[in-house]
Amino acid sequence: MSDPFAGAASGLSGPATRHFAISPSDSVDLAVRPRALVFQTDGDAVLRDEAGTDVTYGRYAGDVLPIRAVRVLATGTTATLVGWI
């Protein structure tokens, strides 16, 4: 398949080029830090930022949350998430 944008730099405002399933954990940081999180199902996601602050976000399926979370905690997270990079 031809990709006319193959040589273009991809900044944080551009589209993601890869995605991965998120496995929430209370003890392990994400292996790859995403540029955004996509909610696959309605529910809550408890996210930790780089300062160690945990915040719960309630969203609907299809919502994109543009945060570069360090960890998605298992305790309190009810949504299924995908990371975009």
Side-chain angles (χ1 to χ4, degrees), residues 3-84:
D3 181 359
F5 300 101
S10 179
L12 287 176
S13 62
T17 57
R18 293 183 288 163
H19 55 260
F20 61 96
I22 298 288
S23 298
S25 172
D26 290 334
S27 59
V28 178
D29 288 345
L30 296 170
V32 176
R33 207 162 160 200
R35 71 169 55 197
L37 296 170
V38 181
F39 281 65
Q40 297 297 106
T41 61
D42 296 354
D44 293 335
V46 183
L47 307 179
R48 181 167 293 165
D49 66 16
E50 64 186 12
T53 304
D54 299 341
V55 174
T56 301
Y57 292 89
R59 298 290 177 122
Y60 295 103
D63 281 350
V64 177
L65 187 62
I67 184 169
R68 299 191 63 230
V70 172
R71 183 180 297 176
V72 177
L73 283 80
T75 301
T77 295
T78 60
T80 301
L81 304 166
V82 169
W84 281 356

